[in-house]
Every structure is written in structure tokens, then in C-alpha cells.
Amino acid sequence: MGMAIDRDDTQFHVLAVDDSLIDRKLIERLLKTSSFQVTAVDSGSKALEFLGLNNNDAADDEEDEQRDSNTESVSSDEDQDHQDLGLGVNLIITDYCMPGMTGYDLLKKIKKSSSFKDIPVVIMSSENIPSRINRCLEDGAEEFFLKPVQLSDVNKLRPHLMKGRSKDIDSSHKPTSTRLITSGN
Amino acid sequence: MDRNRLRNQVASMRRSLFDQGYLDDQFIQLEELQDDTNPNFVEEIVTLFYNDSARLIQNIEQALNSSPIDFCKLDDYMHQFKGSSSSIGAKKVTNECTAFREYCNAENAEGSFQQVKQEYAILKRKLEVYLQTVRQASQTA
């Protein structure tokens, strides 16, 4: 096992989005019980704000992507700022039915964002509508939970987070040193 | 002695709430989320539910008293009410919400909202008594 894994980096930070006060309290407790760090907000726009994206930024990211595909320049500083503002969010779990911006709208905006498109997004809904579920999964949601969400659902989140975490570790080490560290194990 | 009596009372009240269909498994989920670090979780979330429900009931009655009735708004409120009662395991209230929503979808508000209110009032009373007994039992030395 590499040295990096011994850090207490199993504390994942989940951003929970739900307009219902009761459901926010519930999801917060479910996540904290499962040792996640939680930030709970009551709307999609507050979620984007927390991440450091406002609606304008989401559109700007699209323009950036257009520009980047034409030139070699990468706006990595801006990305880092966004990541820092987002305070290391590892997963977003959002209600589907919310006034203003739905969970689906939020999913689309996250997936369009160059800074945040790799953050796993999970959608929750009290309504079991297959076409809705399929659309969310097809458009990038990792999971779809039917409400009321239970501990068994929250336990399904860790694999998605571990996937993202191991990507971070690999990308932060030069290839040779990683091989050296793991070769003894 | 008193403590045992109270504990027995708590157990039998709890059993009856489940047996009579007022609460379902979701309430057990809430109980399981309560621990030493969050010793009042159930009471806290149930209290949030009372407050939220009071607000929703007021909004719904206002919507029902307006002319013409905004069925879209009404459905939205009922969706919220159904959602929160389902989240705390209030089985009968959730079912009444579902039934009333059917009426609303048919734009037939003749279906009585009073039934929803009544079921909610019964649950609230039973839960208040139950949680008070739980509190007493935990405080008795």
C-alpha cells in the first residue's frame, strides 16, 4: 500500500441539495453516520454558489471548452480556484423535484462544467418514474435513489468516491515513484 | 421500579404505533440514526415535521379557499406534505396524502382534505405522547 493511503483521506465531503428541511436533516444524518463530511443546501443555485459556479460561470465554462479545443491553453488556474472554492466536494447528492432549478438541471450544469464534471452526482426522488430515472442516469448521474433514502443507499456511495480518490492519488504522483512505493507490497 | 414500568409503557406504545399502521419501517431508520452523538435525533426531526406540516396545512387550506383553485400549487404542497410524512415513516398520513392528491389531479377537491388533517392530528397526538414517555423513561434514574 502506498504511503498516501495512510492519510486520513477517507473523510469525503458530500454536498447535499434538497429543498425539504426534513429531508435535508435526514440526508445529513445519514451521511454523517457514514463518516462523510456534509454541506447541505436548499437549492440548486445555492449548490452552484457553494461550488464557486454561478449560472454565468456555467455558461463561461462552455465558452472556455470551445476556446480550449481550438488552442492549447488550459485555464488551470481558474479551475483550481473553483476547486478551492468548492472546498473539495467529492460527491453531490441532490433531490430531483426542487423549485427553480431541478436536480436534473443541476446535474446538467455540473456535467457541463470543466471544473466539476468529474464529481459524481446522485439523484434522489420520491417518485418512481422509469423515464426520469433513465434520463438522469444517461445524462451522467451515478445513482438514482428512491426516497426515503436509507443507510443501505448511502453505503452505495463509497465505491463511487473511492474511484475518484484513487484517480487523485495516481495523478498527484509521478509514475516512477508510485511503482517504487507499491512494489514491496 | 418506575423506570421499568415506563420502559414497558414505551415498548407497548411503540409496538402499537407500528401494529396499528401509524408508523412504518422508515421510523425505525430514524431510531437507528439516533445515538450518543445525536441523542435527540428522532425528536428533532419529528419536531421539524410538525412545524413543516403546520405551514403546509395552512398553505393548502388557503389554496382550497381561493377561487379559482390553483391545482398546480395544491399538488405541489401535497407533494411536499407526502414527502415529509413519508420521510419520517408516518404511514397513514402518507396514504391519506396520496389519496387526496388523486382527487386534486382529477381537479376534484371535493375529496376531503379534512381526512388528511384528521389523520395528521391523530398521528401528532400519538407521537407527542409516545416521545414524551420515551423522554420520561430515559430521565428516570
Side-chain angles (χ1 to χ4, degrees):
Chain A
M1 287 253 250
M3 290 186 307
I5 298 166
D6 289 330
R7 284 186 290 140
D8 184 20
D9 57 0
T10 49
Q11 258 273 301
F12 292 112
H13 183 190
V14 178
L15 177 61
V17 192
D18 200 319
D19 61 314
S20 157
L21 186 51
I22 284 111
D23 287 347
R24 259 197 325 279
K25 185 168 176 81
L26 183 55
I27 195 72
E28 196 171 1
R29 189 85 279 274
L30 282 166
L31 291 165
K32 283 187 171 162
T33 291
S34 308
S35 305
F36 294 116
Q37 192 195 335
V38 189
T39 300
V41 297
D42 65 5
S43 71
S45 42
K46 293 237 178 89
L48 292 176
E49 223 178 277
F50 182 78
L51 291 169
L53 283 170
N54 51 40
N55 289 326
N56 293 329
D57 281 357
D60 285 348
D61 278 334
E62 285 174 15
E63 287 167 18
D64 283 348
E65 278 171 0
Q66 287 282 358
R67 236 195 354 260
D68 288 347
S69 63
N70 296 329
T71 70
E72 285 306 302
S73 71
V74 175
S75 54
S76 55
D77 285 346
E78 214 176 78
D79 283 356
Q80 194 52 54
D81 285 348
H82 281 160
Q83 295 268 11
D84 290 343
L85 270 174
L87 296 172
V89 170
N90 304 114
L91 184 137
I92 297 165
I93 182 164
T94 177
D95 187 26
Y96 184 95
C97 277
M98 295 187 292
M101 195 187 300
T102 66
Y104 179 74
D105 296 330
L106 179 60
L107 167 70
K108 298 290 275 181
K109 285 193 197 286
I110 302 283
K111 292 304 166 188
K112 279 207 180 93
S113 153
S114 49
S115 322
F116 298 110
K117 61 175 162 49
D118 291 329
I119 297 184
V121 180
V122 171
I123 312 248
M124 312 177 275
S125 176
S126 53
E127 287 163 328
N128 189 352
I129 300 173
S131 57
R132 172 186 291 185
I133 298 172
N134 287 331
R135 190 169 51 134
C136 289
L137 294 173
E138 277 165 18
D139 288 351
E142 305 286 336
E143 298 264 2
F144 192 103
F145 295 156
L146 280 176
K147 284 181 161 183
V149 177
Q150 305 192 329
L151 261 172
S152 54
D153 296 313
V154 173
N155 290 336
K156 292 183 196 161
L157 297 177
R158 212 158 268 274
H160 295 293
L161 289 157
M162 294 308 295
K163 216 170 32 177
R165 183 50 59 88
S166 63
K167 262 199 284 186
D168 288 343
I169 290 173
D170 285 348
S171 64
S172 67
H173 283 81
K174 289 190 196 144
T176 48
S177 46
T178 306
R179 268 184 247 122
L180 275 172
I181 288 165
T182 58
S183 63
N185 307 304
Chain B
M1 217 28 178
D2 260 343
R3 192 188 197 191
N4 279 334
R5 190 161 50 86
L6 276 171
R7 278 178 147 185
N8 288 336
Q9 220 175 332
V10 166
S12 97
M13 286 175 100
R14 187 180 172 280
R15 211 174 323 133
S16 132
L17 283 167
F18 283 98
D19 288 347
Q20 292 175 9
Y22 289 102
L23 297 177
D24 63 28
D25 283 350
Q26 181 58 21
F27 191 80
I28 298 175
Q29 286 280 313
L30 302 184
E31 290 174 323
E32 287 178 353
L33 287 171
Q34 185 164 289
D35 59 20
D36 292 338
T37 61
N38 272 264
N40 303 309
F41 178 71
V42 176
E43 262 210 79
E44 285 168 8
I45 200 169
V46 168
T47 305
L48 278 180
F49 173 66
Y50 297 153
N51 295 337
D52 202 50
S53 301
R55 172 188 68 90
L56 284 168
I57 288 171
Q58 195 174 40
N59 287 339
I60 291 163
E61 292 197 303
Q62 232 164 35
L64 286 169
N65 286 331
S66 49
S67 191
I69 295 178
D70 185 346
F71 283 99
C72 207
K73 223 180 207 174
L74 192 53
D75 187 65
D76 188 36
Y77 293 138
M78 285 311 301
H79 170 86
Q80 290 178 51
F81 199 5
K82 183 188 164 193
S84 51
S85 33
S86 162
S87 289
I88 67 145
K91 191 175 178 183
K92 286 196 185 192
V93 176
T94 306
N95 291 340
E96 286 298 331
C97 286
T98 305
F100 182 64
R101 258 183 113 190
E102 304 280 296
Y103 280 111
C104 292
N105 286 337
E107 302 215 347
N108 174 17
E110 293 306 308
S112 184
F113 179 62
Q114 293 312 306
Q115 240 165 299
V116 181
K117 269 181 81 176
Q118 200 176 6
E119 203 59 65
Y120 168 74
I122 294 170
L123 174 76
K124 183 166 188 254
R125 202 169 57 234
K126 285 184 181 280
L127 265 181
E128 279 173 337
V129 174
Y130 168 66
L131 290 175
Q132 190 176 34
T133 315
V134 169
R135 239 180 293 138
Q136 281 177 315
S138 69
Q139 283 163 2
T140 309

